[in-house]
Amino acid sequence: MTYSERGSARPPDGRQPSAVAEAARPVRLARGVGFGLGALMLGLADLQLAASPWQALVLAAVGLGWPQLAHQLVLQSRQHRLAERRNRRVDAVLAGLASAAVGFEPFVTALIVSMQALGPLLMGGPRAFAQALLVQAAAALGAVLLFGPQPQPGAGPWVQAAGALFAAGCLLATAALAGQDRARQRQALHGVRRATRMQRAALAS
């Protein structure tokens, strides 16, 4: 039995297969775009409330740090698909917390909820989409129960502009990621068909 048959992303010597690292890079880019622009939108919303500096530091740390950490978790895991599914759950938790942090301001919350759930929908289908929404709701409810309702900042012109940029970036990054995933699936299917034809030719000869 090979390491791949055991569901491991790594060979026995611990090296990371190039295919796994290559597939993980577009995911890191898409997550970086989403969280970076999302942090910008939330930061502008916080400015309207004269939020404390530590909130800006938290936003910057999450927006810049989480995509890199998620990427490393996938690379270090022996089951990279399972690791990425866990990362998406963390994405959903962070989205729920962000919605609660802005007091469920309609414009900001709608963008956060829809853009975060879009990736699971395109990559994992309706079930993954429903799970993302449930995780977001649970995280938001937990935040309200722990910290109480937060004030709504209102969606001023700068927040709206950042929100439009956030939505556009998420849509483009997710579409590109989904396109690359479909291309890899077609390439894998082509390889299987080619191997099948070669086996049939060898048996017929």
Side-chain angles (χ1 to χ4, degrees), residues 29-187:
L29 176 60
R31 183 173 279 116
V33 168
F35 273 86
L37 295 177
L40 174 63
M41 178 180 65
L42 292 170
L44 291 173
D46 282 343
L47 282 177
Q48 297 181 110
L49 295 174
S52 59
W54 70 266
Q55 289 178 290
L57 291 176
V58 170
L59 279 175
V62 174
L64 298 177
W66 166 241
Q68 307 305 320
L69 176 59
H71 181 68
Q72 292 303 316
L73 290 175
V74 171
L75 294 185
Q76 296 300 320
S77 175
R78 291 186 176 275
Q79 293 181 318
H80 61 278
R81 293 185 182 275
L82 180 60
E84 180 54 33
R85 284 198 294 270
R86 288 195 294 263
N87 287 343
R88 290 177 186 170
R89 293 192 188 99
V90 176
D91 293 343
V93 169
L94 293 173
L97 295 177
S99 298
V102 294
F104 302 103
E105 198 285 323
F107 175 79
V108 175
T109 299
L111 284 178
I112 291 174
V113 171
S114 58
M115 292 300 104
Q116 191 284 314
L118 180 63
L121 175 63
L122 292 179
M123 306 300 293
R127 182 178 179 180
F129 174 73
Q131 289 176 344
L133 293 180
L134 287 174
V135 172
Q136 284 189 40
L141 178 60
V144 171
L145 293 176
L146 286 174
F147 305 109
Q150 300 298 307
Q152 286 190 8
W158 286 105
V159 175
Q160 292 178 8
L165 184 62
F166 168 65
C170 287
L171 289 172
L172 290 174
T174 304
L177 184 61
Q180 291 174 352
D181 186 64
R182 285 193 294 269
R184 283 193 297 268
Q185 291 176 356
R186 288 194 297 268
Q187 184 177 8

Side-chain angles (χ1 to χ4, degrees), residues 1-8 10-12:
M1 180 180 290
T2 65
Y3 71 92
S4 59
E5 291 171 336
R6 296 196 302 267
S8 172
R10 292 185 176 192

